Amino acid sequence: WRTVTAQPVWPTGYLERYLYLDVPLVVLMSATLSEREAVRLSADRPMQYRDYPSRIPIADRRVIPLKMTAMSRGKANYTEWVGRIDNWIGARLDRRLLLDTVSYDRAEAFVRMSRWRDEGILITHRAKGIEAAMEEYLHREPPVVLVSPVVVRGWDLVQDQCRGLAIGKLPF
């Protein structure tokens, strides 16, 4: 018989020397920071912004960015926004979808203006109703779309429980 010994490896001591190469400040992110936002956050301190193209072909990406419309306060084009999301839904009527609207006002606007509002596939809720809405969503057969600003933490939607996610507004 052979013996296998395992012990934890603590990479901290190697990061500065081999990965960060003595760079005084490194920001690691799991999201995208635009150059404009990086410059704003740097408060005029010297910085270097690097933007690299994806090495993954678009057809192989699990996350596909769709061209949307500006949704800034006072500039929001709800008709175009709803239309593009409606098209996204229309191409995916064979599955469960989630639309993260970022706010209850946008959720209400989407449901009110969507061409799917009378088809019985949209589920939405107010502040205290996420549990009931999620329960209904999980027990319905596709097509079904949960329109919610609060499915951000604590929900584990696996396999066919959610086959598409649209984020209605990103912060840049």
Side-chain angles (χ1 to χ4, degrees):
W1 293 89
R2 292 188 173 159
T3 303
V4 176
T5 304
Q7 66 183 37
V9 175
W10 302 103
T12 307
Y14 303 98
L15 293 176
E16 287 295 328
R17 191 169 17 160
Y18 297 107
L19 184 61
Y20 305 146
L21 304 173
D22 297 319
V23 173
L25 178 64
V26 176
V27 178
L28 300 177
M29 300 181 51
S30 63
T32 302
L33 182 67
S34 68
E35 185 171 11
R36 184 182 76 184
E37 192 66 12
V39 168
R40 188 184 71 77
L41 292 172
S42 74
D44 294 327
R45 291 185 299 259
M47 61 156 282
Q48 185 177 45
Y49 181 88
R50 293 185 179 168
D51 188 12
Y52 298 97
S54 176
R55 295 174 54 189
I56 302 170
I58 290 175
D60 294 340
R61 295 180 194 172
R62 292 195 174 243
V63 176
I64 302 168
L66 302 175
K67 181 137 177 83
M68 293 297 276
T69 183
M71 290 302 291
S72 304
R73 285 192 181 126
K75 297 181 184 175
N77 182 339
Y78 279 93
T79 303
E80 186 175 346
W81 181 72
V82 170
R84 290 189 181 181
I85 296 171
D86 274 348
N87 290 340
W88 176 80
I89 292 169
R92 292 159 181 80
L93 293 174
D94 60 334
R95 58 195 91 172
R96 285 186 180 90
L97 303 172
L98 175 60
L99 170 57
D100 180 348
T101 57
V102 186
S103 76
Y104 286 107
D105 290 342
R106 283 193 178 91
E108 286 179 3
F110 178 80
V111 171
R112 185 177 61 254
M113 297 173 68
S114 173
R115 74 173 185 239
W116 305 106
R117 71 183 167 275
D118 297 326
E119 301 298 320
I121 68 171
L122 303 178
I123 299 171
T124 194
H125 61 89
R126 289 303 298 165
K128 301 285 184 188
I130 181 59
E131 288 83 9
M134 183 62 76
E135 189 72 21
E136 181 181 353
Y137 169 79
L138 291 173
H139 286 92
R140 274 235 215 130
E141 290 298 316
V144 62
V145 182
L146 178 57
V147 181
S148 174
V150 296
V151 181
V152 293
R153 222 180 276 160
W155 300 100
D156 187 14
L157 302 173
V158 296
Q159 301 296 327
D160 289 337
Q161 290 179 330
C162 183
R163 286 293 180 178
L165 166 66
I167 302 172
K169 181 181 184 297
L170 294 173
F172 52 85

